[in-house]
Amino acid sequence: MSEKENAKWYVIHTYSGYENKVKANLEKTVENRNLHDLIFEVKVPMEEQLEEKNGRKKAVMRKIFPGYVLIKMIMTDESWYIIRNTRGVTGFVGPGSKPIPLTDDEVRAMGVENIPIQLDAEVGDNVRVISGPLENFIGSIEEIYPDKQKVKVLVSMFGRDTPVELEYHQIQKI
């Protein structure tokens, strides 16, 4: 297992407006001190929003989490110290001095990284649809597409089996 697979996403709190400076400072520190094996990625999640000014609509990039920077790293005394002492960083998000990494579900929900879901089912298994327009329908898995994180499920609708393509996160094995 490579070092990067052990890395987790952490959230650091910054002074408001310092998010991009913190990101740049951390990336420079990683480069200068050759910390590529501890700190892998620094992100300031952005989204495009339409803003109206003088009757004109304009697309602008906005920070999704103002005052926060996300960092994929391996937590060690050294990496903790480097981040804590980066200008503009007020601390890690988490209780006390022990930062808590984001869970895979949180990372997926925040749209930070696309973490593949491990499907705990196989062809022929019965599943319940847990989200989307077919919620609470029951069907059986006909095909699995791991590269797309999707499954083809035969769902019984109006007395006949209908094939539907669903994402892994939309089903639960029963």
Side-chain angles (χ1 to χ4, degrees), residues 34-96:
N34 199 18
L35 299 169
H36 303 282
D37 55 342
L38 283 179
I39 300 170
F40 299 96
E41 213 174 323
V42 182
K43 276 192 173 181
V44 178
M46 307 285 275
E47 67 182 351
E48 194 174 283
Q49 286 184 336
L50 284 178
E51 199 176 77
E52 203 171 316
K53 213 176 190 176
N54 304 331
R56 283 201 180 133
K57 285 189 180 189
K58 187 175 129 183
V60 291
M61 293 305 283
R62 283 264 152 69
K63 293 178 188 93
I64 300 174
F65 310 111
Y68 297 94
V69 173
L70 301 165
I71 184 161
K72 187 172 191 173
M73 61 184 277
I74 293 172
M75 185 59 70
T76 65
D77 289 345
E78 183 186 12
S79 62
W80 181 89
Y81 181 84
I82 284 162
I83 287 156
R84 268 309 271 118
N85 290 291
T86 298
R87 222 169 127 232
V89 172
T90 57
F92 278 93
V93 172

Side-chain angles (χ1 to χ4, degrees), residues 74-164:
I74 293 172
M75 185 59 70
T76 65
D77 289 345
E78 183 186 12
S79 62
W80 181 89
Y81 181 84
I82 284 162
I83 287 156
R84 268 309 271 118
N85 290 291
T86 298
R87 222 169 127 232
V89 172
T90 57
F92 278 93
V93 172
S97 60
K98 178 98 177 73
I100 305 287
L102 294 171
T103 64
D104 286 352
D105 286 343
E106 289 169 329
V107 171
R108 266 187 226 104
M110 293 166 80
V112 177
E113 183 179 31
N114 194 4
I115 296 176
I117 296 171
Q118 294 301 314
L119 186 64
D120 181 28
E122 49 195 51
V123 172
D125 284 351
N126 286 330
V127 293
R128 175 187 311 275
V129 180
I130 55 171
S131 72
L134 300 176
E135 191 171 346
N136 292 324
F137 275 78
I138 291 179
S140 68
I141 297 179
E142 193 175 60
E143 288 182 55
I144 299 175
Y145 313 110
D147 49 326
K148 290 201 254 169
Q149 296 270 295
K150 292 187 177 191
V151 288
K152 187 191 284 180
V153 177
L154 280 181
V155 177
S156 180
M157 278 192 266
F158 312 116
R160 60 165 52 130
D161 284 343
T162 307
V164 253

